[in-house]
Every structure is written in C-alpha cells, then in structure tokens.
Amino acid sequence: MAAIEDLSSVLLNFRSQLQWSQISAQDIWHQVFKKPTFLQLHWVYFILTCLISSLFFHLFSTTSISYVNSIFMVIGAMTQTGLNTVNMSDLNSFQQSLIVILSMIGNPIVVSIIVIHVRKRAFQKRLKIKRGEEEKRYHTSLTMSISSSIMANHDDHSGGRVRNGFVLGVQNGVQNVVELIFKSNKLKDNQHVDRNAQFHGLSLEERECVHCVEYKAVKLLGYMVIAYYVTWQFLGFIVLGAYLSFNYTEAISLNGFNPWWLGISLAIGAFNNSGISLLNASVIPFCDSSYILLNMSLLMLAGNTAFPIFLRWILRQMLNFIPDTENYKDWRETLSFILKFPRRVYTNLFSSEQTWCLLALLIFFNAFDWTVFQVFNRYSSEVNNMATKSILIDGFFQTVSMRSSGFIVIPIASLFIGLQTLYVLMMYISAFPITITMRSSNVYEERSLGIYARELHNPDNLEKTESNPGLPMRRRDRFYFVQEQVRRQLSHDLWFLVIGALVIISTESSNFNRDPRTFSIFNIIFEIVSAYGCVGFSVGLPGKTYSFCGAWHSFSRLVLCAIMLRGRHRGLPVDIDKAIQLPGDNMDFAEEQDHQIRAITSMKGHL
C-alpha cells in the first residue's frame, strides 16, 4: 500500500506542477473538446475536395458525362480506388490531369505530411511561448530560476524563432535528458520509459527538453517524407517514360497518347495506389513486359504496405553513415530518437520489431497469393496459353496490385472462380497489416480498450507470473489486444458493407433479372469489397473497358461512392495516437496517469 501511495503522490506532484504553470485540468478539458478531431478533419478534407473537384470535372467536360459519373470518378481518384464508370481515354487533358492530381493529394503519405507540418507549427508555437515565459521569469525574478542544465537562452531576443529546436535550455541539458531516456529504454528498467514509448517520472523542465527533441524529429521527418514521396515518383517518371518512349512509341501513339505522359500517369497511379491508367485496358497491353511490371510493382510497394519498411531502412542507413563526431551529434541524436521512439513522431513509422513483423506479413501474404495464383490458374485457358515467364511475372504483379492499386494485367473474369473468391477476402483485409501494426505500437490498447499490461520489474517476478496462469503475460496482453482490434474492425466494417450490399443488390434487381450472369450477386459483392478496400479490381463488363459499376443505376453508384469514402477512412489513427497529437500538458499528464494505472495493476497482480 505504501508503494501505491508513493505512485499516487508522483501523479499528484506532476499535477501540481501543471497548476504551477497555470494550466488547469478544466482548461485542458475545454481545449480538447473544443477542437475538431483528426478523423473529422480528414472527412471534411475529403468531402470538400471531392465536391469542389467534381464541379470542375463536370463543367470542363467536353463529352456528355453525367454529374453522377463525374463525382464517382473524382471520389475514385481521391480515395485511391481507381474504379471508373467512363473510359479514361474519353476524358480531356484537364480531366485526366485532375484525376492524377486527386490521386496524389488523397494519398495517405500526403495526409501524413500535412499532419507533420501542423505538428511542427504547434511545436514552434509552444516553444516560442515557453521561451517567452522563461525570459519573463528571469527578467522579473518572480519565480525561482530553472536548473542550470536547462537554463533559458538569453542571447537570442528575436522572440519568434526557435534556435536548433531548443527553448528552455542549452544543448547539454537536452542531450542529458535524452541520454537518460535512451539509457532507461536500453536497460529495460522502466525508470522513465514504459511500453509504447511513454515517458514518465520527468519534471516539467525535462519534458520540455523532450518536446525540443520531438520538434527536431518532426522537422527532420517533414523533409524526409517529402523527399521520399517526390523521389520515388520522379524516378518512376524517368524509368517508365523513357522505356515506353523507346519501345512502345507507335502502339501508344495509335491510342492518342504521348509515351512520357502515359509513363507519368502509370508511375503516379502505381506509387499512389490509385490504379489509374490512361489506357482503357489498364496494363494488359504490357503483360509481356517484365521491366514495366516489376518497376510498377516496386512503386506500388514503396507507396503502400512497404512504405514504413523503406522509410525506416533509409533512416537507419542515414544514422550509420553520419560520422559519430561532435559536429554531427545533434543529427545523430535526432535520428536515434526517431528510430527508438518512432510512434511519438510519425504515424507510419514503427519500431524495429514491429517493422520486421510487417515485413514478414508482407512476404507471407504475397507468397501465399502468388502460389495460389499459379495453382488455381491451371484451370484458366487464357492463362495457360501464356508463356511460363509471363505467368510468373504477371502473377506477381497482380498479387501486389490486389491489395493496393488495382491495376489489372489479366482480366479478372477470366481467372478461376476460386481465385476470385480469394481476391475478395484479400481485398477486404488489405488495410489490416498496417492498421494493426499502427495500433499495436501506440496507446490504443490502454486508452481505447483499457488493457494495461503488467510491468515486470525483475526476473523473479517474471518467473512467478509465468507459473501463475491467472496473471496474463505482456505477450498475452498484446495478442489479446490484437484480437480485440480485429473484432472491433470487423464490427466497424461488416454492418456498413451488409447494408450497402443490400441496397445495391436491391437497386440492381432489374439488371439481374435481365442478365443474371453478368449482374450476379458475386460480381456485385466483388465490386463492393473492391471499393471498400480502395483496391479497384473489377470483373468488368462484356465488350466494355470501364468497371462493372459503370453499368449500375445512378443511385447504386452514389451508394458505392459512400462505400469508397468509408473504406478510405478505416484504419486511420485516432486522437489518442501520439503521432497526431499536438504538444500539450494534457498529453504529458496522460502519460503519467497511464504509468500509474499500469504500475498499480502490476502490484495488484503480484499481491
């Protein structure tokens, strides 16, 4: 009981420091609930952008495209779904350019760049305010001086700039605090670092030093992610555009396209996972080109599921190549902080262990789907007529595309029905690997599900806990948390999918009665799941090159638009995610509170 009282006193002491800094719990409450949430802002961003873009798309149309088709095409591009109710070749240059731009600004990487920029500005504002407060305390001598290790920098009187990311102290003070945190994390003694990179037991001054390092980390990531986003697509432009201009000039010119423009659209469509191809036949004309398919596969991986893997690898290589000297100590400190505590600074960057797990899942799913493709398509006459090399490469490309962009190299309708059924499942779970990894590397299990892991402070406690089945281990807690997240995701998805499918199937009953083979329930469900997973695979229509939904009634297409928007917003980080939270004392207090609850839970488990 004495230990519990000591922990309670720590929390009360931290809260009193908050009151000393003139920030009350009531002020925190009002600040939190007066501001719109990240999910609300995300919805507003997508809806307003789609509505405004659809007006331009419709008004500048040179052909008879209805407004329903206009808004469908815009939403399909913005959500990276890529389903099209009209042929891309029927669009004019402005409409094609608008579709390409929308597929770029709707990319999760672009959204994350916006989040980074907003957080960076919030850090700058906070550090500026804290700097002003410290200078005021110093000059008026109204309060005690802060510790010498984090004494305010009085040389810069600009009042509006943050020099090297520091506000409350000189560089040595910040480095001392960061080294203390690194040491605690390395030794696993939980003195200052809990699971999911939660810091505790730090004074207000030490926390401000942490905010300084977080500011530098966010600032560096802002440049890194932008460079990553631009570089990959620029290389894709060059690689695909040059190859098409040298090898497919005549064939592409017959379709009325410039090879470089087609290469640019394919690179953007692959990296942004929109599946947009100016050719009506998607990438089927390139089914024998290993060069194009493999490069597009790499772009699809780099822009989607493998993005966290590539980004962490780049940051790790930067840390390895930067000299370990005094001149570069600030750089190495920032990179080390990002790699050790990635989910404090970025939504799509994970710890080493979780990144390896994500890589293993990526390899497993792709290998499994590619193997099934090779086995099942022995029953497909169209695939069997292809060369062995083409079957292997096309199978790999379609496997990668199935959970991301939706490019089609072999018509879906010609594939074995068992493989089509597998595609439905894989398209639905396409967002699960990154979503579960994201939520298992932050505070979701505690702040969302109320699952607080018991902290084990020494090997003796570990042995006692293992021998007692009534006390769940941390790994069991984590596995239980993943199960709970999957259940919640299913409950979040299924009711909307069932209602959407029921409405669309009922609306398309007249088409079903007219042509039950083409408008079968399976084909409709395939299209719905493809839209919800933001993939863009379609069984197509006989004699047509646009998506199957292009033959639906207008009301069904509008319902599918809602499904695409809903699917794009699943798996997003919520407000408890530290990587999207703005710096503030409420966030610091929550960390101390979580630590106290976790520690009390651990003590009760050992009694």
Short mmCIF file of all heavy atoms in Angstrom, two decimals, residues 297-322:
data_model
loop_
_atom_site.label_atom_id
_atom_site.label_comp_id
_atom_site.label_asym_id
_atom_site.label_seq_id
_atom_site.Cartn_x
_atom_site.Cartn_y
_atom_site.Cartn_z
N SER A 297 5.50 -2.74 -59.79
CA SER A 297 5.31 -3.47 -58.53
C SER A 297 6.11 -2.83 -57.41
O SER A 297 5.63 -2.69 -56.28
CB SER A 297 5.72 -4.94 -58.71
OG SER A 297 4.93 -5.58 -59.68
N LEU A 298 7.35 -2.45 -57.72
CA LEU A 298 8.19 -1.79 -56.72
C LEU A 298 7.58 -0.46 -56.29
O LEU A 298 7.57 -0.12 -55.09
CB LEU A 298 9.59 -1.58 -57.28
CG LEU A 298 10.61 -0.93 -56.34
CD1 LEU A 298 10.82 -1.78 -55.09
CD2 LEU A 298 11.94 -0.70 -57.05
N LEU A 299 7.04 0.30 -57.24
CA LEU A 299 6.40 1.57 -56.91
C LEU A 299 5.17 1.35 -56.04
O LEU A 299 4.92 2.11 -55.09
CB LEU A 299 6.01 2.31 -58.19
CG LEU A 299 7.16 2.95 -58.99
CD1 LEU A 299 6.65 3.44 -60.34
CD2 LEU A 299 7.78 4.10 -58.21
N MET A 300 4.39 0.32 -56.34
CA MET A 300 3.20 0.04 -55.54
C MET A 300 3.57 -0.32 -54.10
O MET A 300 2.91 0.12 -53.15
CB MET A 300 2.39 -1.10 -56.18
CG MET A 300 1.64 -0.68 -57.44
SD MET A 300 0.54 -1.97 -58.07
CE MET A 300 1.71 -3.09 -58.82
N LEU A 301 4.62 -1.10 -53.93
CA LEU A 301 5.05 -1.46 -52.58
C LEU A 301 5.60 -0.24 -51.84
O LEU A 301 5.32 -0.03 -50.66
CB LEU A 301 6.11 -2.56 -52.65
CG LEU A 301 5.63 -3.94 -53.10
CD1 LEU A 301 6.82 -4.87 -53.31
CD2 LEU A 301 4.67 -4.54 -52.08
N ALA A 302 6.40 0.56 -52.54
CA ALA A 302 7.01 1.73 -51.90
C ALA A 302 5.98 2.76 -51.46
O ALA A 302 6.20 3.48 -50.49
CB ALA A 302 8.02 2.38 -52.86
N GLY A 303 4.85 2.82 -52.15
CA GLY A 303 3.84 3.80 -51.81
C GLY A 303 2.77 3.29 -50.88
O GLY A 303 1.90 4.07 -50.46
N ASN A 304 2.82 2.00 -50.52
CA ASN A 304 1.74 1.47 -49.69
C ASN A 304 2.31 0.64 -48.54
O ASN A 304 2.87 1.18 -47.60
CB ASN A 304 0.79 0.63 -50.56
CG ASN A 304 -0.50 0.30 -49.86
OD1 ASN A 304 -0.69 0.58 -48.70
ND2 ASN A 304 -1.42 -0.32 -50.56
N THR A 305 2.17 -0.68 -48.60
CA THR A 305 2.47 -1.51 -47.44
C THR A 305 3.94 -1.52 -47.06
O THR A 305 4.28 -1.72 -45.89
CB THR A 305 2.01 -2.96 -47.71
OG1 THR A 305 2.51 -3.38 -48.98
CG2 THR A 305 0.51 -3.07 -47.70
N ALA A 306 4.84 -1.32 -48.02
CA ALA A 306 6.27 -1.35 -47.70
C ALA A 306 6.81 0.04 -47.37
O ALA A 306 8.01 0.16 -47.10
CB ALA A 306 7.05 -1.95 -48.87
N PHE A 307 5.98 1.05 -47.38
CA PHE A 307 6.44 2.40 -47.08
C PHE A 307 7.10 2.50 -45.70
O PHE A 307 8.20 3.05 -45.57
CB PHE A 307 5.28 3.39 -47.21
CG PHE A 307 5.55 4.74 -46.64
CD1 PHE A 307 6.63 5.50 -47.07
CD2 PHE A 307 4.73 5.28 -45.65
CE1 PHE A 307 6.88 6.76 -46.54
CE2 PHE A 307 4.97 6.52 -45.12
CZ PHE A 307 6.05 7.27 -45.56
N PRO A 308 6.48 1.99 -44.61
CA PRO A 308 7.16 2.06 -43.31
C PRO A 308 8.49 1.31 -43.29
O PRO A 308 9.43 1.73 -42.59
CB PRO A 308 6.14 1.43 -42.35
CG PRO A 308 4.83 1.51 -43.05
CD PRO A 308 5.15 1.37 -44.49
N ILE A 309 8.57 0.22 -44.05
CA ILE A 309 9.80 -0.57 -44.09
C ILE A 309 10.91 0.20 -44.79
O ILE A 309 12.04 0.30 -44.28
CB ILE A 309 9.54 -1.91 -44.79
CG1 ILE A 309 8.44 -2.69 -44.06
CG2 ILE A 309 10.82 -2.74 -44.88
CD1 ILE A 309 7.96 -3.92 -44.80
N PHE A 310 10.61 0.75 -45.95
CA PHE A 310 11.61 1.51 -46.70
C PHE A 310 12.04 2.75 -45.93
O PHE A 310 13.23 3.08 -45.90
CB PHE A 310 11.05 1.92 -48.07
CG PHE A 310 10.94 0.79 -49.04
CD1 PHE A 310 10.17 0.90 -50.17
CD2 PHE A 310 11.61 -0.41 -48.83
CE1 PHE A 310 10.06 -0.14 -51.09
CE2 PHE A 310 11.51 -1.46 -49.72
CZ PHE A 310 10.73 -1.33 -50.85
N LEU A 311 11.10 3.45 -45.32
CA LEU A 311 11.43 4.69 -44.61
C LEU A 311 12.35 4.40 -43.42
O LEU A 311 13.33 5.13 -43.19
CB LEU A 311 10.16 5.39 -44.14
CG LEU A 311 10.35 6.72 -43.42
CD1 LEU A 311 11.06 7.73 -44.33
CD2 LEU A 311 9.01 7.29 -42.96
N ARG A 312 12.04 3.36 -42.66
CA ARG A 312 12.90 3.04 -41.52
C ARG A 312 14.29 2.61 -41.99
O ARG A 312 15.30 2.96 -41.37
CB ARG A 312 12.27 1.93 -40.68
CG ARG A 312 13.09 1.62 -39.44
CD ARG A 312 12.46 0.62 -38.50
NE ARG A 312 13.34 0.39 -37.37
CZ ARG A 312 13.37 1.12 -36.27
NH1 ARG A 312 12.54 2.13 -36.14
NH2 ARG A 312 14.21 0.85 -35.29
N TRP A 313 14.36 1.86 -43.09
CA TRP A 313 15.66 1.45 -43.61
C TRP A 313 16.49 2.66 -44.02
O TRP A 313 17.69 2.73 -43.75
CB TRP A 313 15.46 0.52 -44.80
CG TRP A 313 16.75 0.01 -45.37
CD1 TRP A 313 17.50 -1.05 -44.93
CD2 TRP A 313 17.47 0.55 -46.49
NE1 TRP A 313 18.62 -1.20 -45.71
CE2 TRP A 313 18.63 -0.23 -46.67
CE3 TRP A 313 17.23 1.62 -47.36
CZ2 TRP A 313 19.55 0.02 -47.68
CZ3 TRP A 313 18.14 1.88 -48.37
CH2 TRP A 313 19.29 1.08 -48.53
N ILE A 314 15.86 3.64 -44.66
CA ILE A 314 16.58 4.85 -45.07
C ILE A 314 17.10 5.61 -43.86
O ILE A 314 18.25 6.06 -43.83
CB ILE A 314 15.65 5.74 -45.92
CG1 ILE A 314 15.35 5.06 -47.27
CG2 ILE A 314 16.28 7.11 -46.17
CD1 ILE A 314 14.29 5.78 -48.09
N LEU A 315 16.26 5.76 -42.84
CA LEU A 315 16.69 6.46 -41.63
C LEU A 315 17.83 5.72 -40.93
O LEU A 315 18.77 6.35 -40.42
CB LEU A 315 15.50 6.63 -40.68
CG LEU A 315 14.38 7.56 -41.15
CD1 LEU A 315 13.18 7.46 -40.23
CD2 LEU A 315 14.87 9.00 -41.22
N ARG A 316 17.75 4.41 -40.91
CA ARG A 316 18.82 3.62 -40.30
C ARG A 316 20.13 3.79 -41.05
O ARG A 316 21.20 3.93 -40.44
CB ARG A 316 18.40 2.14 -40.26
CG ARG A 316 19.51 1.17 -39.84
CD ARG A 316 20.07 1.49 -38.48
NE ARG A 316 19.08 1.32 -37.43
CZ ARG A 316 19.30 1.58 -36.15
NH1 ARG A 316 20.48 2.07 -35.78
NH2 ARG A 316 18.36 1.40 -35.25
N GLN A 317 20.08 3.79 -42.38
CA GLN A 317 21.29 3.98 -43.17
C GLN A 317 21.86 5.38 -42.98
O GLN A 317 23.08 5.56 -42.96
CB GLN A 317 21.00 3.71 -44.65
CG GLN A 317 20.56 2.29 -44.96
CD GLN A 317 21.49 1.26 -44.36
OE1 GLN A 317 22.71 1.31 -44.54
NE2 GLN A 317 20.92 0.30 -43.64
N MET A 318 21.00 6.37 -42.84
CA MET A 318 21.48 7.72 -42.57
C MET A 318 22.24 7.77 -41.25
O MET A 318 23.31 8.38 -41.16
CB MET A 318 20.30 8.70 -42.52
CG MET A 318 19.68 9.01 -43.87
SD MET A 318 18.30 10.15 -43.72
CE MET A 318 19.09 11.58 -42.99
N LEU A 319 21.69 7.11 -40.23
CA LEU A 319 22.37 7.08 -38.93
C LEU A 319 23.71 6.36 -39.02
O LEU A 319 24.68 6.77 -38.38
CB LEU A 319 21.47 6.40 -37.90
CG LEU A 319 22.01 6.33 -36.47
CD1 LEU A 319 22.23 7.73 -35.90
CD2 LEU A 319 21.06 5.54 -35.57
N ASN A 320 23.78 5.32 -39.84
CA ASN A 320 25.03 4.58 -39.98
C ASN A 320 26.10 5.37 -40.72
O ASN A 320 27.30 5.24 -40.43
CB ASN A 320 24.77 3.25 -40.71
CG ASN A 320 23.94 2.29 -39.89
OD1 ASN A 320 23.90 2.38 -38.66
ND2 ASN A 320 23.27 1.37 -40.55
N PHE A 321 25.68 6.20 -41.67
CA PHE A 321 26.65 6.92 -42.49
C PHE A 321 27.07 8.26 -41.88
O PHE A 321 28.13 8.78 -42.23
CB PHE A 321 26.09 7.16 -43.90
CG PHE A 321 26.18 5.96 -44.79
CD1 PHE A 321 25.06 5.21 -45.09
CD2 PHE A 321 27.40 5.56 -45.32
CE1 PHE A 321 25.14 4.10 -45.91
CE2 PHE A 321 27.50 4.45 -46.14
CZ PHE A 321 26.36 3.72 -46.43
N ILE A 322 26.27 8.82 -41.00
CA ILE A 322 26.63 10.10 -40.39
C ILE A 322 27.78 9.88 -39.40
O ILE A 322 27.69 9.01 -38.53
CB ILE A 322 25.42 10.73 -39.68
CG1 ILE A 322 24.38 11.16 -40.71
CG2 ILE A 322 25.85 11.94 -38.84
CD1 ILE A 322 23.14 11.76 -40.10
#
